[in-house]
Amino acid sequence: MTLLYYDYLFQEHDTGEHPENAGRLATVMRRLNFLGLDAVCQRPAWAPASIQQLRLVHTADHIQAVRSLCERGGGAIDEDTVVSPRSYDAATLAAGAVVDAVQRVVAGEDKTALCLVRPPGHHATADQAMGFCLFNNVAIGARVATQTLGLEHVMIVDFDVHHGNGTQDIFYADPRVSFLSMHRSPLYPYSGSEDETGLGEAAGTTINLPIKFGTSAETQRQNFRDAMLSLAEKNPPHLLMVSAGFDSHRLDPIGSLGLSSDDFTLITQDIVEVAKQYTGGRIVSTLEGGYHPHALAESVSNHLEILMEES
């Protein structure tokens, strides 16, 4: 059974009418319940990420700044990112879900995990919250895998419509974590060009696939598959992690690259094939973007069904 992570506390990260709002996950969970998918997944209990785990990625000042703003009642961190009184608790629980999933998958409890968490994480840098993100969930999980659990190499693939600038920044000089991002360009955060490939010993561990609007879905999928295979061949991973953003969907009001829910099925199948070849099928996926509730729910259920087949 795939490990499935969700908690009602994520709904208490109250952003009001913001695009990244509580209704996103509510719609997803209703669909999973209607299809019966949640009932056939393992639903672990888990703890929030500890300060020590957050510090594997983030500075102490950043962690305290987020916590203090929430304790004061919340507000805007930047022009895109807002917090409420329970946002720090939700964010640490979100990061904790990914940590727990990594620990369980590496231990062999299951092969695949999906973390349906919010706030998302891939824009958060070591010292800055941005782009709806407070802490970088997938990065914290990857650092636990390499620094705590001792895995030699982790690969992160990110198909959100926006470049995962925070994840790239965190691992840009870290040869133990490779990173692939396919994203619309030009689009926020206006990074992720093809010549951004890593630094020092990590040169070549980053691949960016900037996609122009209007590129066919078939081309996008093929480019993503080819890049995954190339990156895995050069840097064989022991765990594959996914920043699963579904805002490339043709109905998404923020991004869109013309993809359908069925395209995410095919992308997930390609991810699974790479994982079978290199990681023994071990995959930890975490939710990033996706702002059309019904398109998001359908895409997530498709993604989960493929992970369940592998598990």
Side-chain angles (χ1 to χ4, degrees):
M1 295 185 293
T2 291
L3 302 164
L4 179 64
Y5 292 79
Y6 168 77
D7 192 279
Y8 184 76
L9 178 59
F10 300 140
Q11 306 296 87
E12 297 190 37
H13 169 50
D14 184 4
T15 59
E17 297 302 314
H18 195 281
E20 200 294 288
N21 60 61
R24 298 173 64 234
L25 280 189
T27 305
V28 170
M29 294 308 298
R30 281 196 297 269
R31 179 175 175 85
L32 297 187
N33 181 259
F34 176 77
L35 296 174
L37 297 178
D38 58 339
V40 293
C41 290
Q42 185 178 349
R43 302 288 300 277
W46 77 96
S50 66
I51 295 295
Q52 291 76 16
Q53 289 166 340
L54 296 177
R55 284 294 309 275
L56 292 172
V57 166
H58 296 289
T59 65
D61 286 347
H62 171 62
I63 297 166
Q64 185 56 44
V66 174
R67 185 172 193 167
S68 296
L69 182 57
C70 295
E71 289 174 346
R72 295 196 301 270
I77 292 181
D78 66 13
E79 61 183 10
D80 297 314
T81 311
V82 298
V83 298
S84 64
R86 297 303 306 278
S87 295
Y88 178 83
D89 297 331
T92 55
L93 192 66
V98 181
V99 168
D100 190 79
V102 166
Q103 292 170 334
R104 291 176 189 266
V105 168
V106 169
E109 185 171 324
D110 210 317
K111 284 187 177 182
T112 64
L114 176 59
C115 303
L116 295 178
V117 301
R118 59 183 295 271
H122 73 152
H123 293 308
T125 66
D127 60 359
Q128 184 178 2
M130 60 181 292
F132 314 166
C133 304
L134 304 182
F135 302 129
N136 197 310
N137 306 314
V138 73
I140 293 165
R143 276 274 162 80
V144 166
T146 58
Q147 294 193 10
T148 305
L149 302 180
L151 294 194
E152 291 182 16
H153 199 85
V154 173
M155 183 166 77
I156 300 171
V157 297
D158 185 335
F159 54 78
D160 191 279
V161 78
H162 303 96
H163 178 235
N165 63 296
T167 309
Q168 175 176 297
D169 184 68
I170 289 162
F171 296 115
Y172 205 58
D174 185 346
R176 299 183 68 179
V177 178
S178 54
F179 177 63
L180 165 63
S181 177
M182 181 173 71
H183 47 272
R184 180 173 167 178
S185 180
L187 191 67
Y188 178 91
Y190 304 102
S191 56
S193 63
E194 291 179 349
D195 61 0
E196 297 171 17
T197 59
L199 187 66
E201 293 183 3
T205 60
T206 293
I207 294 179
N208 283 298
L209 298 175
I211 304 294
K212 291 183 179 179
F213 184 75
T215 302
S216 72
E218 182 179 4
T219 297
Q220 293 181 56
R221 296 196 314 267
Q222 187 62 53
N223 289 348
F224 190 73
R225 177 182 175 84
D226 290 347
M228 272 198 300
L229 290 168
S230 174
L231 192 57
E233 183 178 0
K234 294 176 183 175
N235 309 279
H238 297 87
L239 174 67
L240 200 161
M241 300 188 70
V242 184
S243 275
F246 299 94
D247 38 7
S248 288
H249 196 285
R250 60 184 177 80
L251 297 179
D252 199 273
I254 290 183
S256 178
L257 270 172
L259 300 186
S260 69
S261 300
D262 289 339
D263 287 313
F264 292 113
T265 298
L266 298 173
I267 288 171
T268 307
Q269 288 173 341
D270 288 339
I271 290 170
V272 166
E273 288 305 312
V274 172
K276 284 181 179 178
Q277 185 173 351
Y278 287 97
T279 72
R282 297 193 295 193
I283 301 170
V284 173
S285 181
T286 185
L287 182 64
E288 301 288 359
Y291 306 102
H292 186 287
H294 297 293
L296 174 64
E298 184 176 58
S299 299
V300 167
S301 64
N302 288 5
H303 182 66
L304 175 58
E305 285 181 319
I306 301 303
L307 295 179
M308 291 171 63
E309 289 176 7
E310 169 61 14
S311 184

